[in-house]
Amino acid sequence: VLLNIFLNNNMRTVEAEKITALVEKLCIEACCVITDDIYSCFKNCIKTEKSALGREILGTLVENADIARNEQSPICQDTGMTVVFVTMGQEVHIEGGFIEDAINEGVRRGYTKGYLRKSVVRDPIDRVNTQDNTPAVVHYEIVPGSEFHITVAPKGFGSENKSGLKMLTPSQGIEGIKKFVIDTVSQAGPNPCPPIIVGIGIGGTMERAAYMSKKALLRPVGTKNADETLRGLESELLTAINNLGIGPAGFGGTTTALSVNIITGATHIAGLPVAVNIGCHATRHAEGSL
């Protein structure tokens, strides 16, 4: 009786089927609708891009985004491996199924209903396609309260393949971080479909830095880092990257990146892990709550 009273007073129930329906919707939305912040940045960059060809390409990206949105067609043929970020309050109880099964069923339905390309193989060695874009890569963040929020971020591998991780030493410091970021973007060249978004994770352990770099891609373009030091570093890196001359689609110009976003975390006294996750021009994502 006491347990039932506790559950009734403190727990919020979320049905597995509702999670599936939300993920299905977000998969289609993420693959077909560029977020407003990125779309607006394209239009602004047309005004500031110094290359005539670069301006033309940016205009084509706007046109492509309009067609994709209006026709509910994929922005790009590579509709990515589905990465899902779940923010879940500790007072939430999932009812009617296992949360990860519900998420993968949503991916399965979304990629089928939306006619999205199925790009996932079940094993990196045998390379057999799963035919439904599952399983998703799911990251969980448990927070206080009863929030339940999902972000679906399909990640194409033109950009993912050009991402990088380096275990720097503390003595390499800020200069080492900047060199690694610039080298990674320079070596990527046109392959990630610029203009890109550069997500950077600094600190933690090897895998934590990589996670932070991917999560950094989700910060809206045009927003400022709350940390003054990181804000300055982001600005410096964005200028340096745009001075590389790679430009839209790699045809040259002053718009190689739309944004540089940094997340940092505590790390070991002997370590300075740095991860760079590059997002393509679309850096697709969509989010919703239950």
Side-chain angles (χ1 to χ4, degrees):
V1 173
L2 289 176
L3 178 59
N4 286 336
I5 292 173
F6 175 79
L7 289 174
N8 289 335
N9 288 342
N10 295 281
M11 300 298 289
R12 183 170 80 90
T13 297
V14 173
E15 295 176 13
E17 180 56 36
K18 289 185 178 179
I19 296 173
T20 294
L22 178 59
V23 171
E24 174 188 328
K25 171 181 174 291
L26 294 178
C27 283
I28 297 172
E29 180 181 337
C31 287
C32 299
V33 181
I34 284 182
T35 55
D36 291 341
D37 57 310
I38 295 176
Y39 183 81
S40 296
C41 195
F42 286 164
K43 289 195 166 184
N44 290 334
C45 287
I46 292 174
K47 302 172 187 175
T48 59
E49 171 57 54
K50 294 182 179 178
S51 162
L53 179 56
R55 291 193 297 273
E56 183 179 342
I57 291 167
L58 288 167
T60 300
L61 294 181
V62 169
E63 182 182 1
N64 182 71
D66 289 338
I67 293 169
R69 180 190 295 265
N70 294 334
E71 297 186 2
Q72 283 293 285
S73 299
I75 299 159
C76 172
Q77 50 83 26
D78 183 357
T79 50
M81 187 169 192
T82 313
V83 179
V84 180
F85 294 88
V86 179
T87 303
M88 181 174 171
Q90 66 176 357
E91 295 171 9
V92 172
H93 170 65
I94 308 301
E95 186 173 72
F98 178 48
I99 182 173
E100 205 141 318
D101 290 342
I103 290 169
N104 280 316
E105 179 60 24
V107 173
R108 185 175 295 113
R109 293 182 191 177
Y111 274 72
T112 300
K113 182 178 178 180
Y115 299 98
L116 310 175
R117 196 183 80 182
K118 288 80 174 177
S119 304
V120 174
V121 295
R122 69 182 184 186
D123 182 90
I125 306 301
D126 68 26
R127 314 299 297 183
V128 175
N129 197 300
T130 63
Q131 300 299 324
D132 59 10
N133 226 60
T134 67
V137 176
V138 187
H139 300 289
Y140 298 96
E141 181 180 0
I142 307 301
V143 298
S146 57
E147 174 185 4
F148 190 86
H149 188 82
I150 286 180
T151 301
V152 172
K155 193 64 163 66
F157 266 58
S159 58
E160 189 74 358
N161 283 339
K162 295 303 175 179
S163 301
L165 171 74
K166 194 164 187 178
M167 304 303 287
L168 300 178
T169 60
S171 63
Q172 290 173 277
I174 293 289
E175 292 307 313
I177 293 170
K178 289 191 286 190
K179 183 179 186 306
F180 174 59
V181 173
I182 298 301
D183 286 350
T184 301
V185 174
S186 179
Q187 290 164 17
N191 294 291
C193 300
I196 58 176
I197 294 175
V198 183
I200 302 171
I202 306 171
T205 52
M206 179 186 72
E207 80 283 2
R208 185 66 181 179
Y211 165 77
M212 290 189 293
S213 71
K214 179 147 287 167
K215 192 170 183 182
L217 294 177
L218 302 178
R219 198 181 90 203
V221 171
T223 59
K224 304 290 187 181
N225 199 307
D227 182 279
E228 184 178 353
T229 299
L230 296 181
R231 192 159 61 243
L233 181 57
E234 289 175 348
S235 178
E236 182 180 348
L237 285 169
L238 180 60
T239 298
I241 288 168
N242 284 330
N243 285 338
L244 291 173
I246 295 168
F251 287 108
T254 53
T255 313
T256 296
L258 303 178
S259 184
V260 173
N261 302 339
I262 301 174
I263 297 178
T264 62
T267 193
H268 190 277
I269 56 172
L272 182 57
V274 182
V276 177
N277 199 222
I278 297 177
C280 70
H281 81 274
T283 306
R284 295 159 295 188
H285 56 283
E287 57 188 302
S289 297
L290 292 173

